[in-house]
């Protein structure tokens, strides 16, 4: 006797209850609060905001908690929430030149107007586990205050310094036209070739690990665009909108961002003197790994524009853009755990039939078999 | 826009719009659907939204259903032909919650049927809509991974590569080795992926009285087959298209004309077959049909014959 | 990318739109979907709605259900009016364009100069969906066998008759058929009924 499996609905509900219990863990341990995540896991929060395309620290912290710390799951939660939000306005382009700087370094000049500001960075920490943190250690001593505030004017290395001599390519249709339409892949289907606006949006939302590996591949010869970090800056910038009925811009709040501009291998031609080229990275919060990788891949994907030969996957915009999104990727990769009984049955039927035919053929020609 | 985002789902009192999607998104999908119907088999790009379920789990079908469904519809959701597979249950719950619509497991009672991997055995009527969940909408994708190239191939009706692939199967295996997602030619113009339904279901698509809509969420494509549209499975004169058949009958309802799932009974090689279409099987059992493994029958009924 | 439509300066004589946007949009869309899926079949408009000068009820309902800020609209000389423009701008937020070639949707009547039809976007071989839809407001539609239709969506044949359909329409429509998969889709909207001729439908004129 056979009784078909039933009760999918009850199984799902029970699975959700068990999941909630597992998320909570041992109840003798105090429940983690979202503001602890927001404050103390701020780099996770930054990643979820960047790849979730939504600047909201509290929601990102909630998503991380709900996702049990699985950042891709948290990004997915944020994306699914974001897509239901109405659009009230489009902001003016942010002005990173007016950033309230916490960190700013250049790898191309030893010193420069505004100086090198080290800021909060893991860069020179020795990667030794700090067991005092495990022992619920002491509050760290307050960081030292500098004698003087950072300069008000912090010129951008590429636009304000290199461009002064005309040594770096102009960005076509960049800052000059604030009102030019900007593509949005969450609102329009992507088609190829894609404009740089669409590519940059895709990279900003792209999986940190994927963009990192693709950026890395450009350094190992799967592209030809050696890069210097012209500048990385991290800090706060104001977001402004200009409501139609007001006719002037109003400040709606600050966001913290990391911006990276790379100076890349020069090019030139008979008519054009040699000039450096550039790559650009911008992410929410502090993530230099992602911002640098993004700038490398951005530059590599400009191969078509620069008339370069495509030598590696990072230069292939269709390959990069179709595979960078971790919410898409994880959904499709994991979907193969869904039932495929019906398709597999089709394969079984065919394989059995083909084997049967081969057997039948072998039996009907015994002489040839014997001769073998 | 005074008319977007604001309408509340009065049935559920939830903060989401009727059928989850906002009205502007629905309009965008509806426009894509009309184009898809006007160009049968052509894949219309649409700005697929992020849904609260994973890509690859039916987000395309869900978006199409959300754009089509109205308060008077009755929805059936199947996965592998069954209403009680977990993903079908989950999607059915989603619409019961966000649209407050009636749901059913009976093929005949549904006005909209969302499916993954099967077409119901019971012939569909002209007042029904079949919505397919599609993972990879491009039938040429495994021959040519680039969208820029496959789009050109469709534009030029350059389908030679597909025939070559199928013919290579024949020379290597003696058979066309494609058993599901078997490509079809729509109204003599577009080669189309029928979604990963077994080729057993391909003939049902031809001249079907119901409207067939296909949604691929991750790949952001919508396509359609209007009712009564010619749908031919690709084949060759010396190797005509044929569908799967089984030596066994359904263990529960004794059907021999339906697509069967294989159920492994033990680790000694014992197995049985049951209809993958659970409603079809239940209806037959209710009408008194009995297969050898039905609980009204003694165990191993077939062997006793 | 378009900034959200603002509703400042509402005209006092503005007519209302859908009472319940989600349900009525859906009802109208389903009727249009049925009409497109079964070319030549005639469907009743499932709701009633106030129409501004220049548009009839069916065309107005179609516009409110299908059109928004992302879809430019062209209005023919026979149906353009201040009231129609205000109505569409307010309820749909759509741009109204002067050049038919830039429109996603065109509204016209059969006594218009039909030369605009050949200016409408037909899409291209790779993206035949990037084409326009034309809505003809007509006095009456019936299943009198003036036109015998075949093609996808039609089991054997469908019959269609549109009051006052000029020869110029058929000339253009024959041309349109040769462009497939490119082409323009046609919707006939009588005051309370709708029928469609997608690009796939073959017409035999009796």
């Amino acid at each position: 006797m056979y009784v078909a499996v039933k009760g999918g609905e009850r199984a799902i509900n029970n699975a959700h209850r068990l999941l909630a219990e597992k998320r909570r863990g041992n109840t003798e341990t105090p429940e983690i609060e979202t503001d602890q995540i927001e404050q103390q896991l701020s780099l996770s929060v930054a990643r979820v905001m960047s790849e979730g395309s939504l600047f909201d620290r509290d929601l990102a912290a909630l998503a991380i908690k709900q996702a049990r710390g699985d950042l891709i799951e948290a990004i997915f939660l944020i994306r699914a929430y974001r897509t239901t939000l109405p659009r009230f306005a489009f902001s003016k382009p942010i002005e990173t030149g007016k950033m309230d700087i916490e960190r700013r370094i250049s790898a191309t000049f030893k010193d420069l107007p505004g100086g090198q500001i080290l800021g909060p960075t893991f860069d020179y920490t020795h990667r030794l586990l700090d067991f005092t943190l495990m022992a619920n250690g002491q509050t760290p001593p307050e960081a030292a205050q500098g004698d003087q505030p950072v300069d008000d004017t912090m010129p951008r290395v590429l636009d304000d310094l290199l461009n002064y001599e005309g040594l770096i390519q102009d960005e076509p249709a960049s800052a000059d036209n604030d009102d030019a339409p900007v593509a949005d892949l969450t609102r329009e289907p992507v088609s190829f070739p894609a404009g740089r606006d669409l590519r940059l949006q895709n990279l900003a939302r792209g999986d940190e690990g994927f963009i990192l590996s693709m950026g890395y591949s450009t350094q190992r010869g799967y592209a030809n665009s050696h890069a210097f970090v012209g500048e990385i800056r991290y800090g706060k910038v104001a977001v402004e909108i200009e409501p139609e009925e007001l006719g002037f811009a109003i400040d709606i709040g600050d966001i913290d961002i990391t911006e990276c501009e790379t100076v890349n291998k020069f090019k030139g031609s008979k008519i054009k003197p040699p000039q450096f080229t550039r790559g650009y990275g911008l992410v929410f919060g502090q993530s230099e790994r992602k911002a640098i990788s993004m700038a490398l891949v951005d530059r590599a994907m400009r191969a078509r524009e620069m008339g370069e030969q495509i030598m590696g996957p990072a230069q292939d915009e269709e390959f990069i853009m179709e595979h960078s999104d971790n919410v898409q990727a994880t959904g499709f990769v994991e979907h193969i755990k869904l039932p495929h009984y019906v398709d597999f049955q089709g394969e079984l039927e065919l394989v059995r039939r083909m084997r049967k035919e081969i057997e039948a053929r072998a039996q009907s020609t015994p002489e040839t078999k014997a001769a073998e | 826009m005074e008319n977007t985002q604001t309408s509340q789902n009065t049935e559920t009192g939830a903060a989401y719009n009727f059928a989850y999607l906002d009205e502007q998104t629905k309009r965008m999908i509806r426009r894509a659907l009309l184009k898809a119907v006007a160009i049968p088999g052509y894949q219309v790009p649409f700005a697929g939204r992020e849904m609260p379920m994973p890509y690859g789990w039916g987000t395309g079908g869900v978006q199409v259903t959300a754009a089509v469904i109205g308060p008077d519809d009755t929805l059936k959701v199947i996965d592998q032909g069954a209403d009680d597979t977990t993903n079908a249950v989950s999607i059915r719950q989603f619409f019961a919650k966000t649209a407050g619509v009636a749901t059913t497991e009976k093929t005949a009672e549904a006005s909209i049927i969302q499916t993954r991997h099967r077409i119901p055995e019971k012939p569909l009527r002209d007042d029904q809509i079949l919505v397919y969940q599609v993972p990879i909408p491009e039938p040429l994708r495994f021959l040519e991974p680039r969208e820029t190239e496959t789009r050109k191939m469709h534009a030029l009706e350059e389908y030679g590569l597909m025939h070559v692939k199928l013919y290579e199967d024949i020379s290597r295996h003696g058979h066309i080795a494609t058993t599901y997602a078997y490509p079809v030619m729509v109204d003599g113009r577009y080669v189309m992926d029928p979604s990963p339904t077994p080729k057993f279901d391909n003939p049902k698509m031809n001249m079907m009285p119901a409207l067939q809509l296909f949604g691929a969420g991750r790949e952001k494509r919508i396509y359609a087959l209007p009712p009564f549209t010619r749908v031919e499975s690709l084949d060759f004169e010396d190797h005509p298209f044929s569908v799967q058949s089984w030596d066994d009958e359904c263990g529960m309802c004794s059907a021999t004309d339906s697509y069967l799932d294989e159920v492994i009974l033990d680790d000694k090689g014992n197995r049985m077959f049951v209809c993958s279409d659970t409603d079809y099987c239940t209806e037959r059992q209710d009408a008194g049909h009995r297969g050898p493994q039905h609980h009204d029958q003694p165990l191993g009924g077939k062997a006793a014959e | 990318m378009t900034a959200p439509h603002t509703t400042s300066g509402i005209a006092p004589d503005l007519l209302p739109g859908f009472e319940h946007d989600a349900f009525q949009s859906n009802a109208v869309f389903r009727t249009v979907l049925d009409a497109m899926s079964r070319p030549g079949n005639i469907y009743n408009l499932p709701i009633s709605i106030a129409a501004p000068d220049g548009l009839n009820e069916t065309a107005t309902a179609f516009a409110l259900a299908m059109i928004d800020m992302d879809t430019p609209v062209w209005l023919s000389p026979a149906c353009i009016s201040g009231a129609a423009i205000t109505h569409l701008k307010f309820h749909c937020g759509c741009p109204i364009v002067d050049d038919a070639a830039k429109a996603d949707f065109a509204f016209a009547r059969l006594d218009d100069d039909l030369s605009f039809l050949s200016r409408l976007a037909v899409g291209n071989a790779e993206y035949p969906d990037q084409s326009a839809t034309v809505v003809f407001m007509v006095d009456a539609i019936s299943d009198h066998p003036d036109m015998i239709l075949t093609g996808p969506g039609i089991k054997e044949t469908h019959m269609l008759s549109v009051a006052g359909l000029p020869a110029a329409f058929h000339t253009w429509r024959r041309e349109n058929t040769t462009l497939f998969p490119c082409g323009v889709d046609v919707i006939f909207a009588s005051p309370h009924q709708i029928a469609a001729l997608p690009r796939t439908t073959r017409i035999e004129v009796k």
Side-chain angles (χ1 to χ4, degrees), chain C residues 129-192:
Chain C
D129 57 305
Q130 292 174 2
S131 55
T133 302
V134 60
V135 178
F136 275 114
M137 281 171 277
V138 299
D139 294 337
I141 323 170
S142 78
D143 60 358
H144 189 269
D146 287 345
M147 290 183 268
I148 297 178
L149 312 180
T150 52
I154 301 168
K155 190 176 180 186
E156 279 151 10
T157 54
H158 285 169
M159 317 290 175
L160 182 66
S161 170
V162 176
L165 197 61
F169 174 83
H170 290 298
T171 311
W172 165 78
R173 186 56 178 61
R174 268 195 297 277
E175 177 77 12
N176 190 65
T177 308
T178 63
L179 304 175
F180 189 81
C182 296
V184 171
D185 306 311
V186 180
I187 287 175
F188 292 113
S190 78
H192 301 288

Side-chain angles (χ1 to χ4, degrees), chain A residues 70-87:
Chain A
D70 178 339
L71 296 190
I72 293 181
E73 182 67 24
I75 290 159
F76 184 10
L77 286 167
I78 291 297
R79 292 264 192 98
Y81 176 75
R82 176 192 188 274
T83 195
T84 67
L85 298 176
R87 243 156 235 246

Side-chain angles (χ1 to χ4, degrees), chain A residues 1 5 9 76 79 83 186-187 316 318 331-332 339-343 345-347 349 352-353 357, chain B residues 47 49-50 53 55 57 80 84 93 116-117 146-148 175 179 196 218 245 259-260 262 295 299:
Chain A
M1 185 175 93
V5 192
E9 194 162 337
F76 184 10
R79 292 264 192 98
T83 195
T186 68
R187 313 263 302 166
D316 180 339
E318 191 171 338
F332 201 54
H340 286 77
Y341 324 132
V342 161
D343 294 345
Q345 188 54 224
E347 300 281 276
E349 193 263 357
R352 283 186 187 135
R353 187 145 47 93
E357 284 169 6
Chain B
R49 296 293 194 251
E50 249 130 2
M53 54 196 68
Y55 283 116
W57 298 52
Q80 315 297 299
D84 59 353
Q93 279 181 340
R116 177 169 172 267
H117 292 195
R146 269 167 212 286
E147 173 70 11
T148 35
H175 288 273
T179 58
R218 192 179 38 78
S245 60
Y259 194 86
L260 300 177
E262 183 169 334
H295 50 77
L299 188 59

